[in-house]
Amino acid sequence: MNTQTILLIILAVIVSLALVLFQYYHKNKLRGKLSIALSFLRFITYFCGFLLLINPKFTKNEYTTEKANLIVLADNSSSVATAKEEVHQTIENLKQSEAVQKRFVVDTYNFGSFLKEGDSLSFQEKNTNISQALSALKDIYATTNSAVVLLTDGNQTLGQDYDFNSSGRQLPIYPIAVGDTTRYEDLAISQVNTNRYAFLKNKYPVQIYVSYSGKRDVTVPIRIALNGKSVFRQNVSFSSINSSEVINTLLNANSVGTKNLKVTIGNLENERNTANNSREVVVEVIDEKTKIALVSTIMHPDIGALKKSIESNGQRSVSILSPADDLKKFEGVDLFILYQPGPNFKGVFDYIENTKANTFTITGPKTDWNFLNRAQKSFTKNSYNQTEEVFAVTNSGFGLFNIADFSVEDFPPLQSSLGDIVLHGKNDILLTQRIKGVDLNQPLLAVFEEGKKRDAVLFGEHIWKWRMQNYRNEQSFKNFDDLIGKLTLYLASNKSRERLTLDYENTYTGSGDARISATYFDKTFVFDANAEMLLKLKNSETKITSEIPMLLRGNYYEADLSNLSAGKYDFTVSVKKENLSKSGSFTILDFDVEKQFLSTNYEKLQRLAQNTGGSLFYPNQNQDLIQDLLGDDRFLPTRKNKQNVVSLIDFGLLLGLMVIALAAEWFLRKYNGLI
């Protein structure tokens, strides 16, 4: 309370006393106890009234003690299963320690591919993503005083390498290296790179990365078997200095179909971990390739992004052409991508009209709409020649192909010109426009179908930003490339529209991500959400069959195959009560990435601790860890003072006292016959 307020309160006392003396002792000759009582009540009334007018403010201090957070983060992957007793014991020691409880608030998490809350551990996760778990904790506890106790073997199988992503972290990390820290002599096939597709009568490359952990000189053979038949053999030498090799070779694609390649390396004497001495990959040999021409007169990042995205599938090739090129270069093209056409595209449109070729037109601020409206009949736009940023909104009713895995929720806007758009003929809208937060009844990406001819149009440029945003969100271009791939596949095909379409991979590395999805339309080509879909599976080797009902997932049906064992499977998806079915095949490779590691990687955990201001410990050093945490001044409890400034007018007691004083004075005066 400041000096001015105190002076005003003293003045209020003096004025209240002066008014009482004037009213009860100057004019009124009443004396005695009654006069004193009435004077006191009137003084209370005046003083409370003046206090409410002055409205002094009072500061209230609330003191609280805030403990530091101790985050216990446990690796829940299968590679730690052999040390599960050590993990459980460490967690219990930290949670039951009274000294730790007094100093810290203990929170428990576990992780495999993603961070999860709680200490319920199954040790069955099939991937380890240490970097993602630590990054997520950093976001959660960014503004707090916290430390992380990380129980893991240090072997990461997914995500960014935490060894190169640990500097600058705000949270000190105390790794506890669980598992076997002994270094064993080991040979491993670290990675096998090959094309997903190969073309008949061509050669396809195979690249093999081999590593060696040991001190002596060894020479071992490395072999490649194609469908069980040996097609390559080479001896490789290693030493304590030369601990890795890269082997490159070319194999012949002699026949169409799926080819299983098994790469193996010889075992060392008494080698403990032989699970990482072999790898399997699958190559599909095909006899055709989709040829796509991307026609443009301007240089733009969209062109490179589209080429990269489309050619991510080896079955497709993109040629970047100019409309002025010889028309012979357009022969054999399955799909034309026309980027912001102008009058110099007239020859290209004439060629497309004559050959009935399919097109994908991308427009933008540089598009000549007077020409484009005359050159084709699928759509028209009355452009106002005013550039605007247009956000995309997914049309949930789109059903030509499955787009459930693709979202444009936080994608940047495209550049487009304002204008009214009219679509002609049979069309289906995949994306609509949103401008300045308002959803417009205008298409952004639309598909047309008339007989066997198919076309599409995108009303905006800078689609390259979507591909970049997709990578930013998921550290992968896959979802964006899959959408462009599905759109390209639909446009490049002249087959009539199908009521049942399937979406699946030919090869799955392990069964964890194995899924088959299907989209089914009724006879009017409206998505049927009430259909009964059945997946029939047959293992090609064991001949064991099984049936799995497909579950509705929004606008598609899906079957989860994560429980299947490794092997090659033939399958049929059928619609009950309809004479409609489709078949295919896929291969689940026998590969468990968690089995590739035998020893604890304590060196990387040591570097992680040093880079974050922590220390490395082992399971038998739990008490040392606790003493280190308790003795660290960084984690001392913090006493915080919270000041609440409250106005006197907020207290109803003062107003109530004033009312009581007035009522008491009135009652006494009436009781004693005073006016």
Side-chain angles (χ1 to χ4, degrees):
M1 192 180 301
N2 56 37
T3 304
Q4 182 182 357
T5 303
I6 295 174
L7 292 175
L8 287 174
I9 293 174
I10 295 173
L11 181 61
V13 173
I14 295 171
V15 172
S16 300
L17 188 60
L19 289 173
V20 170
L21 291 174
F22 178 78
Q23 286 184 331
Y24 278 96
Y25 294 95
H26 177 67
K27 288 185 176 182
N28 195 341
K29 304 302 182 181
L30 182 66
R31 297 291 184 271
K33 294 182 179 180
L34 179 60
S35 176
I36 294 173
L38 293 174
S39 300
F40 176 75
L41 292 173
R42 181 60 61 91
F43 173 80
I44 293 297
T45 302
Y46 282 140
F47 183 64
C48 290
F50 286 130
L51 278 181
L52 290 174
L53 291 175
I54 296 170
N55 190 25
K57 294 179 173 59
F58 299 92
T59 301
K60 184 180 180 181
N61 293 317
E62 294 182 0
Y63 295 95
T64 58
T65 300
E66 186 175 284
K67 299 179 183 179
N69 297 300
L70 182 61
I71 307 162
V72 182
L73 179 62
D75 189 341
N76 195 29
S77 63
S78 59
S79 64
V80 187
T82 56
K84 60 183 178 181
E85 296 299 330
E86 298 174 347
V87 174
H88 284 303
Q89 186 61 48
T90 301
I91 294 174
E92 288 301 313
N93 289 344
L94 291 171
K95 293 176 68 175
Q96 294 179 2
S97 171
E98 294 184 4
V100 171
Q101 294 296 328
K102 289 180 180 179
R103 175 69 71 88
F104 296 95
V105 175
V106 180
D107 295 328
T108 55
Y109 294 86
N110 67 83
F111 69 95
S113 300
F114 302 98
L115 180 70
K116 298 178 183 178
E117 190 174 5
D119 59 357
S120 178
L121 302 173
S122 63
F123 301 102
Q124 294 180 355
E125 294 280 348
K126 296 185 178 181
N127 278 295
T128 306
N129 194 341
I130 299 175
S131 179
Q132 189 276 338
L134 294 177
S135 297
L137 287 178
K138 178 182 175 182
D139 293 338
I140 297 171
Y141 294 92
T143 60
T144 63
N145 184 17
S146 305
V148 179
V149 175
L150 174 63
L151 295 100
T152 180
D153 58 3
N155 295 313
Q156 179 166 305
T157 63
L158 193 67
Q160 298 178 345
D161 191 341
Y162 67 90
D163 198 18
F164 300 100
N165 196 31
S166 58
S167 59
R169 292 188 185 277
Q170 297 178 2
L171 304 180
I173 300 173
Y174 292 80
I176 297 181
V178 299
D180 192 348
T181 58
T182 305
R183 288 298 185 192
Y184 297 99
E185 194 177 45
D186 184 49
L187 280 169
I189 297 177
S190 306
Q191 188 172 339
V192 177
N193 295 329
T194 187
N195 295 338
R196 182 177 173 183
Y197 298 98
F199 298 98
L200 187 64
K201 305 302 180 183
N202 287 344
K203 293 180 179 289
Y204 57 92
V206 179
Q207 187 178 56
I208 308 165
Y209 289 83
V210 187
S211 62
Y212 167 68
S213 299
K215 297 181 179 180
R216 62 191 181 99
D217 296 342
V218 296
T219 300
V220 291
I222 187 166
R223 302 180 181 87
I224 301 177
L226 192 154
N227 291 342
K229 182 180 179 182
S230 179
V231 293
F232 176 82
R233 187 183 189 279
Q234 178 179 323
N235 288 334
V236 186
S237 298
F238 298 98
S239 65
S240 58
I241 300 174
N242 179 31
S243 61
S244 64
E245 285 287 347
V246 180
I247 295 95
N248 294 285
T249 186
L250 294 172
L251 300 181
N252 294 317
N254 295 323
S255 59
V256 175
T258 301
K259 309 299 179 183
N260 288 73
L261 298 180
K262 185 173 183 179
V263 183
T264 58
I265 191 169
N267 300 336
L268 298 173
E269 185 180 357
N270 300 322
E271 185 175 0
R272 294 191 59 176
N273 184 17
T274 58
N276 56 12
N277 286 34
S278 65
R279 283 282 187 103
E280 288 189 47
V281 294
V282 173
V283 177
E284 184 177 359
V285 179
I286 55 179
D287 194 17
E288 59 181 10
K289 190 169 188 174
T290 303
K291 186 178 179 181
I292 299 165
L294 203 164
V295 187
S296 175
T297 58
I298 61 177
M299 300 294 292
H300 198 282
D302 283 354
I303 296 173
L306 287 168
K307 180 176 173 65
K308 283 283 188 183
S309 180
I310 294 170
E311 290 186 342
S312 64
N313 186 324
Q315 291 180 277
R316 306 181 184 114
S317 66
V318 178
S319 301
I320 300 176
L321 303 175
S322 167
D325 287 339
D326 192 329
L327 294 181
K328 289 184 179 180
K329 293 185 178 181
F330 298 153
E331 293 179 359
V333 170
D334 299 295
L335 173 65
F336 286 88
I337 300 178
L338 309 175
Y339 192 80
Q340 304 209 44
N344 46 3
F345 277 70
K346 186 178 186 307
V348 179
F349 276 99
D350 290 341
Y351 181 87
I352 291 171
E353 179 65 25
N354 293 332
T355 59
K356 304 299 180 184
N358 296 343
T359 64
F360 179 20
T361 306
I362 300 176
T363 68
K366 299 180 182 65
T367 302
D368 188 327
W369 281 103
N370 291 327
F371 165 77
L372 188 56
N373 288 338
R374 296 192 306 269
Q376 49 76 43
K377 301 177 182 178
S378 298
F379 56 89
T380 55
K381 181 174 182 178
N382 181 23
S383 178
Y384 303 142
N385 295 321
Q386 179 180 343
T387 303
E388 185 61 82
E389 290 187 339
V390 179
F391 289 87
V393 180
T394 305
N395 176 19
S396 58
F398 182 82
L400 292 180
F401 45 82
N402 183 14
I403 58 170
D405 293 334
F406 183 75
S407 172
V408 293
E409 185 69 28
D410 57 350
F411 276 25
L414 302 182
Q415 289 285 337
S416 184
S417 57
L418 290 177
D420 297 324
I421 300 171
V422 179
L423 304 181
H424 307 291
K426 185 179 178 182
N427 62 80
D428 208 337
I429 298 174
L430 195 155
L431 300 173
T432 59
Q433 299 184 21
R434 176 184 291 161
I435 298 179
K436 295 179 179 179
V438 179
D439 290 343
L440 306 180
N441 189 22
Q442 293 281 295
L444 181 62
L445 177 57
V447 178
F448 307 87
E449 182 175 353
E450 184 178 350
K452 292 186 177 181
K453 182 171 171 55
R454 296 176 177 180
D455 301 287
V457 58
L458 175 66
F459 296 99
E461 67 174 8
H462 296 324
I463 196 172
W464 67 271
K465 294 182 179 180
W466 288 8
R467 195 168 189 259
M468 294 299 102
Q469 185 66 38
N470 187 215
Y471 186 86
R472 182 181 180 184
N473 292 347
E474 304 180 20
Q475 288 73 54
S476 169
F477 299 114
K478 185 177 184 302
N479 281 351
F480 177 86
D481 291 350
D482 284 351
L483 175 71
I484 297 299
K486 291 175 183 179
L487 180 61
T488 303
L489 178 63
Y490 173 79
L491 295 174
S493 173
N494 288 324
K495 296 178 181 179
S496 58
R497 186 173 176 181
E498 298 176 333
R499 292 174 57 196
L500 178 62
T501 58
L502 304 181
D503 187 10
Y504 64 97
E505 301 287 341
N506 291 322
T507 308
Y508 298 99
T509 304
S511 60
D513 297 326
R515 286 173 175 79
I516 294 177
S517 60
T519 306
Y520 169 67
F521 303 93
D522 61 20
K523 293 181 180 180
T524 61
F525 284 95
V526 175
F527 177 76
D528 189 349
N530 298 315
E532 292 185 56
M533 311 282 289
L534 187 64
L535 172 66
K536 297 181 180 179
L537 289 166
K538 181 181 180 181
N539 189 304
S540 301
E541 299 172 357
T542 64
K543 307 303 180 183
I544 297 176
T545 61
S546 59
E547 294 185 354
I548 302 174
M550 302 187 74
L551 304 178
L552 181 65
R553 306 285 190 189
N555 60 345
Y556 66 101
Y557 294 86
E558 184 181 78
D560 186 352
L561 310 177
S562 58
N563 292 325
L564 293 180
S565 58
K568 185 175 181 180
Y569 292 85
D570 299 317
F571 71 90
T572 300
V573 175
S574 58
V575 185
K576 286 188 176 181
K577 301 179 182 179
E578 288 277 351
N579 187 23
L580 192 61
S581 64
K582 269 197 169 184
S583 300
S585 63
F586 61 87
T587 301
I588 296 178
L589 301 179
D590 185 12
F591 178 73
D592 186 351
V593 68
E594 293 292 327
K595 293 180 180 179
Q596 305 301 303
F597 305 102
L598 187 64
S599 301
T600 300
N601 198 336
Y602 59 87
E603 293 99 337
K604 287 182 69 173
L605 294 176
Q606 177 68 52
R607 292 194 294 270
L608 176 65
Q610 291 175 349
N611 291 336
T612 57
S615 301
L616 175 67
F617 294 91
Y618 296 92
N620 60 352
Q621 297 177 314
N622 288 342
Q623 293 304 316
D624 294 338
L625 168 65
I626 292 174
Q627 293 303 318
D628 196 351
L629 290 170
L630 296 177
D632 197 324
D633 292 341
R634 291 177 295 175
F635 310 125
L636 289 173
T638 305
R639 190 175 186 186
K640 292 189 175 182
N641 176 22
K642 182 179 180 182
Q643 288 188 340
N644 291 328
V645 179
V646 184
S647 299
L648 185 64
I649 200 170
D650 293 334
F651 291 94
L653 180 63
L654 191 64
L655 184 60
L657 181 61
M658 186 176 178
V659 172
I660 292 172
L662 283 171
E665 183 184 1
W666 177 85
F667 178 78
L668 288 175
R669 293 180 69 87
K670 287 294 184 182
Y671 183 79
N672 290 279
L674 300 176
I675 300 174

